[in-house]
Amino acid sequence: MKKILSQDEIDDMIRAARSGTQGAAPTVQAPAISPWNGRLAGRIGQEHMQAINRLHQSFAHNLTHSLGAYLRIQFAAALVSGEHLTYGEFLQSIPEVTYLASCKLKPVGASALVQLDLAVAFPLIDVLLGGEGKGVAPVRGITEIEEQILETVMHIICRELQNAWQALPLEFEFEQRQHLGQVEQLMSAAEKTLLLSFEITMLESRGALNLVVPAQVSNALLRKISERTATKPRLRPEAEQRIRARLLNCAFEVELTMPHLQVPVRALLALSPGALLGLRRSTRHPATLVVAGEEMFTASVARRGPLRAAQMLSRRVKPDATEERSR
């Protein structure tokens, strides 16, 4: 059935044809444009940030053992995050009452900032004074005497940071406690920094430990890490398996001996083929299995078919220097 157009529809079609709008042109979507943010320039990529995070996970692990052994309490440090932000942004994020300290980075002449929550600082001070480190932290700042007591912990933190950053000839030297008005002069508000945040857990307390390092120093560390990775390429799994197979086939000299035996000269002079030499050692006393000159196991003489063998009894404990001198 054919459609019959009205006069109005015919007029509309004629006007559209005369104006050239009958065939609508396909629309092109304009590209999304966003303003450039200069603060994002020079930031470390995700892959490089992961390398820095792995490095400071080792720092947190070592700090856990160092401070735990020094304080003789349950102490744990764990890396929470690593990110880039300006120094001014970090200062806006910290509480008004907290512990702040600066570390001199030698020989570059820059400074790093350490921020420790008072929820952890006061229990640390209590433990250092012989207390249990428990209870509610007081709502106040740290006194001059308390900050001197806390310096011992800061020296350990600086030492472990220096060990973690050993790829650079850099020395973390504890400088002094900083007040909120002083830290504003430590770096410019627009300076790019690397913020590393750690969670500190000790006994009943939990808080944050933040480390702020100038981006120019962290970028130098990243370059060293990249150079080390490039100069030490990892072997492929197939190559590792071939090397392992060859090493497992390497032969080592093995002896089954009874060391430290003594016999008189008279017995040695009387030796002849077929003679029996008494060793003055009980038959129950085990022998020693020596591998490449190292005493490895106590063992007894055994037999497997027509071949001699050794049956392992226990792992040999290496004697210390005092035992060696007594022998």
Side-chain angles (χ1 to χ4, degrees), residues 29-278:
Q29 186 175 4
I33 299 175
S34 58
W36 180 72
N37 188 352
R39 293 182 302 177
L40 299 178
R43 287 199 173 185
I44 297 177
Q46 182 178 3
E47 181 180 354
H48 292 160
M49 183 61 75
Q50 289 175 354
I52 288 184
N53 286 348
R54 285 193 297 269
L55 181 71
H56 290 93
Q57 284 171 355
S58 299
F59 159 75
H61 177 77
N62 294 334
L63 185 65
T64 296
H65 289 283
S66 297
L67 275 179
Y70 180 76
L71 300 172
R72 299 180 181 273
I73 60 170
Q74 291 182 351
F75 180 91
L79 178 66
V80 176
S81 65
E83 59 179 327
H84 267 119
L85 73 171
T86 63
Y87 186 59
E89 290 172 338
F90 169 73
L91 293 181
Q92 293 175 2
S93 65
I94 61 176
E96 293 183 3
V97 182
T98 186
Y99 176 82
L100 297 165
S102 59
C103 301
K104 205 70 177 178
L105 306 180
K106 296 182 177 180
V108 296
S111 295
L113 182 66
V114 177
Q115 182 259 323
L116 181 65
D117 284 351
L118 295 183
V120 176
F122 279 116
L124 283 172
I125 295 170
D126 185 53
V127 171
L128 290 170
L129 290 175
E132 296 182 353
K134 299 179 180 179
V136 181
V139 186
R140 60 173 176 83
I142 291 179
T143 65
E144 292 183 2
I145 296 178
E146 290 170 336
E147 74 177 61
Q148 292 177 4
I149 296 171
L150 200 58
E151 282 184 10
T152 57
V153 174
M154 299 307 301
H155 282 292
I156 295 176
I157 293 174
C158 289
R159 184 191 67 196
E160 294 301 335
L161 281 171
Q162 184 169 327
N163 292 336
W165 286 56
Q166 60 184 348
L168 290 177
L170 195 66
E171 180 181 353
F172 281 79
E173 182 181 277
F174 174 76
E175 197 170 19
Q176 62 181 354
R177 180 195 173 189
Q178 298 282 347
H179 295 279
L180 195 56
Q182 295 173 315
V183 295
E184 295 177 354
Q185 310 299 324
L186 202 63
M187 307 178 206
S188 66
E191 183 168 354
K192 299 170 187 174
T193 62
L194 172 66
L195 170 62
L196 296 162
S197 299
F198 302 87
E199 183 183 50
I200 303 298
T201 305
M202 54 170 294
L203 302 175
E204 301 174 352
S205 305
R206 178 175 297 180
L209 169 69
N210 292 317
L211 173 67
V212 182
V213 182
Q216 59 178 352
V217 181
S218 63
N219 289 340
L221 173 65
L222 180 60
R223 285 192 294 270
K224 284 293 183 180
I225 295 175
S226 301
E227 291 174 3
R228 183 178 298 179
T229 305
T231 54
K232 296 182 179 179
R234 181 175 177 81
L235 294 174
R236 295 181 178 179
E238 300 83 5
E240 291 183 353
Q241 292 177 2
R242 287 196 300 269
I243 293 175
R244 177 180 174 83
R246 292 184 180 182
L247 289 175
L248 291 177
N249 290 328
C250 291
F252 281 81
E253 183 178 349
V254 176
E255 300 177 66
L256 189 60
T257 66
M258 298 185 69
H260 313 301
L261 292 175
Q262 294 182 349
V263 294
V265 177
R266 183 184 302 105
L268 295 176
L269 293 175
L271 289 179
S272 62
L276 186 64
L277 178 65

Side-chain angles (χ1 to χ4, degrees), residues 274-293:
L276 186 64
L277 178 65
L279 299 179
R280 299 182 180 181
R281 187 70 60 88
S282 171
T283 56
R284 297 179 180 179
H285 194 282
T288 300
L289 183 72
V290 181
V291 180

